[in-house]
């Protein structure tokens, strides 16, 4: 007996692969030139910007858990050795749907695990300073689901490019190539960072778009609940669920805790990483910029408001050259934090005046959304996790609510 459901899924995957091949070569099916529908396209659904390096885990299998925003009929994954100092050897990379409520947290949905390839090969060597993107992975994924991206590193490839603050438990099988395991029993160790994986794209209908949230720890999610996906970009993605599926953009989080606008520090500066973390991502049409607080309070502090304005203008110009609309987010209060001073508060307000003055295509007034009306140099107590700088889940929700969804679709 023919399994009709399985045959239908297989046919859909074949059609998606065929359509992608046709659009890449400029060919069409015979007799369809006048009536062919636009081919599907890649759009970003998840991102973690490289923030630094850490010790490699040679011989281990690392199972990264990533929560995607929008779904698609196929998948591909970006892996990075951008900050490494030696060639990175990956002999197996797999992608699977995570089993909700699985016994270990590292369990894949049975039948969903796929081996990723690179120009048809199951292994890849990524030169230092570079990224690699997998071939199309024939795995359809639903919106708002967890994926398992597992990599096996057979030998020591030097410092591992990673995203430090995942706010997500990830899993390690210390010995042996367990990347193809559906069950998670071998994954007996955990880490709180994402190793090597820095992006996921999905195949979506023509015209699909994505947006990038570009920032520091406030965007990276510091202060929000671990494992809950309550960073403000996650909560913005939840708000966008009300849009028709074809119009809902993928939401990519390019926040790095400690990142600065003007100087390198925790990760390359915003100016230095704009191309890699924004422009190179698939189908980006909107950029939301929240950068500058760490320049105000970091060492050395940056005290010239003109330098901030110049940096913002450069970001906007480079984004516009790629057809990307830019929304500037005002800098949020931080009085009560040890780094605060009256002079820095005055500079923060001056920078916010610049942001509101037309430097960007639109403004997300995060400052107005979270400041305490009685003490506007401070954030509201209900949004404060205790350090007077970052935001708890309620504060993250207030930031997400400050963005007008219609402004993202223009």
């Amino acid at each position: 007996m023919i399994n009709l459901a399985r045959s239908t899924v297989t046919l859909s995957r074949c059609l998606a692969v065929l359509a992608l091949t046709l659009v890449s070569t400029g060919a069409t099916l015979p007799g369809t030139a006048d009536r062919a529908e636009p081919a599907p396209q890649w759009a970003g659904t998840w991102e973690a910007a490289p923030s630094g390096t850490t010790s490699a885990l040679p011989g281990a299998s690392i199972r990264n858990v990533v929560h995607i925003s929008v779904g698609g009929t196929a998948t591909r994954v970006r892996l990075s050795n951008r900050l490494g100092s030696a060639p990175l050897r990956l002999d197996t990379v797999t992608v699977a749907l995570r089993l909700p409520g699985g016994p270990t947290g590292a369990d894949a949905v049975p039948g969903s695990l796929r081996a990723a390839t690179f120009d048809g090969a199951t292994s890849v060597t990524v030169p230092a300073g570079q990224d690699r993107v997998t071939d199309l992975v024939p795995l359809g994924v639903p919106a708002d689901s967890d994926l398992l991206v597992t990599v096996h590193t057979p030998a020591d490839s030097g410092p591992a490019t990673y995203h430090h603050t995942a706010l997500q438990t990830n899993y390690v099988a210390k010995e042996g190539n367990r990347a193809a395991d559906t069950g998670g029993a071998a994954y007996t160790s955990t880490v709180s960072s994402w190793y090597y994986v820095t992006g996921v794209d999905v195949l979506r209908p023509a015209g699909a778009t994505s947006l990038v949230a570009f920032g520091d720890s406030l965007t990276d999610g510091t202060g929000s609940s671990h494992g809950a996906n309550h960073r403000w970009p996650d909560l913005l993605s939840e708000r966008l669920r009300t849009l028709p599926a074809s119009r809902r953009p993928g939401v990519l989080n390019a926040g790095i805790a400690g990142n600065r606008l003007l100087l390198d520090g925790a990760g390359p500066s915003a100016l230095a990483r704009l191309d890699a973390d924004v422009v190179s991502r698939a189908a980006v049409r909107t950029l939301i910029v929240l950068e500058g607080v760490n320049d105000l309070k970091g060492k050395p502090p940056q005290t010239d408001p003109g330098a901030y304005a110049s940096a913002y203008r450069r970001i906007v110009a480079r984004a516009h050259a790629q057809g990307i609309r830019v929304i500037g987010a005002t800098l949020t209060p931080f009085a009560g934090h040890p780094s605060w001073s009256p002079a820095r508060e005055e500079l923060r307000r001056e920078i916010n005046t610049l942001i509101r003055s037309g430097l960007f295509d639109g403004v997300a007034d995060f400052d107005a959304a979270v400041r305490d009306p009685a003490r506007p140099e401070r954030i509201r107590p209900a949004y404060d996790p205790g350090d007077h700088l970052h935001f708890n889940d309620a504060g993250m929700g207030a930031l997400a609510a400050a963005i007008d969804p219609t402004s993202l679709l223009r």
Side-chain angles (χ1 to χ4, degrees):
M1 180 179 295
I2 296 174
N3 186 324
L4 183 58
R6 181 175 297 174
S7 299
T8 301
V9 171
T10 302
L11 178 60
S12 298
R13 290 173 181 157
C14 291
L15 289 174
V17 174
L18 177 59
L20 192 65
T21 302
L22 291 173
V23 76
S24 66
T25 61
T28 59
L29 287 171
T32 63
D34 295 331
R35 57 185 175 83
E37 294 184 359
Q41 67 176 62
W42 291 112
T45 187
W46 178 86
E47 177 179 357
S51 65
T53 60
T54 190
S55 298
L57 299 173
S61 301
I62 307 166
R63 183 152 281 183
N64 299 280
V65 179
V66 305
H67 184 75
I68 65 170
S69 54
V70 293
T73 57
T75 312
R76 69 180 184 184
V77 176
R78 181 187 297 254
L79 298 149
S80 183
N81 190 27
R82 194 187 311 164
L83 305 179
S85 58
L88 167 65
R89 178 69 175 175
L90 300 173
D91 65 354
T92 309
V93 177
T94 62
V95 184
L97 290 167
R98 187 187 193 190
L99 182 66
T104 70
D107 302 275
V109 172
S112 72
L113 192 140
R114 306 283 188 274
T117 59
F118 304 82
D119 292 330
T122 57
S123 62
V124 67
T125 298
V126 186
Q130 296 187 22
D131 293 358
R132 287 291 184 270
V133 179
T134 69
D135 302 331
L136 180 150
V137 178
L139 176 65
V141 294
D144 308 304
S145 58
D146 286 348
L147 297 185
L148 303 175
V149 180
T150 308
V151 299
H152 179 253
T153 54
D156 190 346
S157 297
T161 295
Y162 79 145
H163 182 89
H164 178 267
T165 309
L167 293 176
Q168 171 66 57
T169 300
N170 302 293
Y171 300 89
V172 178
K174 290 185 176 180
E175 297 182 358
N177 187 344
R178 311 307 295 262
D181 287 12
T182 296
Y187 291 84
T188 55
S189 297
T190 61
V191 290
S192 57
S193 303
W194 287 303
Y195 281 66
Y196 304 117
V197 59
T198 60
V200 177
D201 298 334
V202 288
L203 200 60
R204 303 192 68 203
T209 65
S210 60
L211 68 88
V212 177
F214 194 55
D216 49 37
S217 59
L218 304 183
T219 300
D220 207 3
T222 302
S224 65
S225 296
H226 183 93
N229 299 308
H230 282 169
R231 312 163 193 86
W232 71 258
D234 298 316
L235 300 179
L236 174 61
S237 182
E238 287 186 10
R239 292 188 67 210
L240 298 177
R241 290 177 186 173
T242 59
L243 296 173
S246 62
R247 299 189 68 204
R248 180 182 174 187
V251 177
L252 310 184
N253 188 334
I256 297 176
N259 198 232
R260 301 181 71 165
L261 175 68
L262 302 170
L263 301 176
D264 293 343
S269 72
L271 287 170
R273 67 188 182 93
L274 180 70
D275 289 345
D277 291 340
V278 179
V279 173
S280 73
R281 305 293 164 151
V284 176
R285 291 295 175 267
T286 304
L287 170 62
I288 305 172
V289 178
L290 176 59
E291 287 271 13
V293 166
N294 289 321
D295 297 86
L296 282 174
K297 68 183 190 61
K299 295 180 181 180
Q302 302 301 294
T303 59
D304 177 13
Y308 292 80
S310 176
Y312 292 143
R313 289 190 184 100
R314 288 171 62 188
I315 289 173
V316 170
R318 285 160 64 185
H320 282 179
Q322 301 298 321
I324 299 171
R325 186 168 183 271
V326 188
I327 296 172
T330 51
L331 305 185
T332 53
F334 62 100
H337 189 271
S339 64
W340 184 87
S341 71
R344 290 175 179 177
E345 173 65 13
E346 182 179 354
L347 179 57
R348 183 186 72 88
R349 296 190 186 196
E350 188 171 355
I351 293 169
N352 281 347
T353 298
L354 289 169
I355 292 171
R356 295 184 181 108
S357 69
L359 286 176
F360 297 93
D361 301 308
V363 175
D365 202 341
F366 284 0
D367 171 44
V370 301
R371 67 190 179 213
D372 186 342
R375 297 181 297 176
E377 72 279 6
R378 291 176 174 262
I379 62 176
R380 290 175 182 263
Y383 298 159
D384 189 350
D387 65 4
H388 312 300
L389 172 66
H390 298 101
F391 296 97
N392 58 22
D393 293 353
M396 291 290 178
L399 296 179
I403 298 171
D404 176 8
T406 61
S407 71
L408 306 177
L409 303 178
R410 294 172 186 166

